[in-house]
Amino acid sequence: QERTQKGLGSGVIISADGVVVTNNHVVKDAQKVRVTLADKRSFEAKVLGTDPKSDLAVLKLKGARGLTPLAIGDSARLRLGDIVLAVGNPFGIGQTVTMGIVSAKGRGNVGIVDYEDFIQTDAAINPGNSGGALVNLRGELVGINTAILSRSGGYQGIGFAIPTNLARPIVKALRTKGKVVRGYVGVMIQEVSAEMAKALRLPHTRGVLISDVVRGG
């Protein structure tokens, strides 16, 4: 017997004609996407493009017009301790807002996606919040909620959001071209540990170590 599998996630409206930003893993392999707004209106959505390397996707709501987009803020202006709000649909119970602070910035090497520069927050983020908005107290979008670190599968105080300054050019490329094309330097790099700096007689651990060069790169 053929079974239909359904999934839930969240998204952010960024244009009056219904362009929505969400996570790639929310719509990955979906044959049909439907978006329900806070006022209960429902729209079928077309996937304009996805970028698995950053876990972002852009949708277009069919027939939508006159929507109120969320203003996009400058994530670089965030400071540790700033209050932020996470908006989404946790566990499918309905639109929910939680409050927390910016716990850290520039989180990488988490092992979630290829390109990581996460905002870490202790605002409650749970399954279903993926793709939802992280906003500052001015009501501006500063991040797209994307993942949690949890041993139980639920909120444990460590959530990650993709900063708007990382998402902005990716979203633009997905809207216009349906894909993201990135440059490639052709070198392999690694962080400089204290042990590595001592072995190489480096004066500090800043920067990166070029460990390999790709032939022709």
Side-chain angles (χ1 to χ4, degrees):
Q1 181 180 353
E2 184 175 335
R3 297 184 178 182
T4 301
Q5 183 175 355
K6 296 182 179 180
L8 287 174
S10 304
V12 182
I13 298 172
I14 62 169
S15 74
D17 61 348
V19 176
V20 174
V21 178
T22 186
N23 284 141
N24 171 65
H25 75 261
V26 170
V27 298
K28 181 181 178 181
D29 298 326
Q31 294 176 314
K32 187 176 182 180
V33 179
R34 180 163 290 276
V35 176
T36 302
L37 307 186
D39 61 7
K40 306 303 181 185
R41 284 184 293 167
S42 183
F43 297 89
E44 186 177 345
K46 176 184 178 182
V47 178
L48 296 182
T50 63
D51 182 44
K53 291 182 180 294
S54 64
D55 198 19
L56 287 169
V58 176
L59 316 177
K60 177 68 170 64
L61 307 186
K62 297 180 180 179
R65 60 182 183 275
L67 303 182
T68 303
L70 186 58
I72 299 178
D74 182 1
S75 59
R77 296 181 61 186
L78 286 175
R79 296 293 180 264
L80 304 189
D82 281 357
I83 295 175
V84 286
L85 306 176
V87 185
N89 181 22
F91 300 108
I93 63 173
Q95 184 168 300
T96 302
V97 180
T98 56
M99 183 179 76
I101 64 169
V102 175
S103 305
K105 295 174 60 180
R107 282 288 192 232
N109 297 320
V110 182
I112 299 172
V113 289
D114 292 348
Y115 294 95
E116 297 179 338
D117 185 24
F118 292 128
I119 301 165
Q120 181 183 327
T121 179
D122 65 349
I125 296 174
N126 282 293
N129 276 109
S130 292
L134 187 74
V135 301
N136 58 24
L137 292 186
R138 290 184 292 274
E140 299 168 333
L141 179 71
V142 291
I144 302 294
N145 303 322
T146 192
I148 57 175
L149 280 185
S150 173
R151 293 180 178 177
S152 65
Y155 168 69
Q156 286 190 207
I158 301 179
F160 298 110
I162 302 168
T164 51
N165 286 8
L166 174 63
R168 195 190 304 263
I170 295 172
V171 170
K172 181 179 179 181
L174 294 178
R175 290 182 68 176
T176 57
K177 301 177 182 178
K179 63 180 181 179
V180 179
V181 178
R182 294 180 171 90
Y184 180 61
V185 177
V187 298
M188 303 298 178
I189 62 174
Q190 65 187 68
E191 291 187 7
V192 181
S193 64
E195 294 80 7
M196 187 71 70
K198 183 178 179 180
L200 296 176
R201 298 181 181 179
L202 301 176
H204 50 69
T205 58
R206 296 191 299 272
V208 295
L209 176 71
I210 298 177
S211 58
D212 193 16
V213 178
V214 177
R215 183 180 296 275

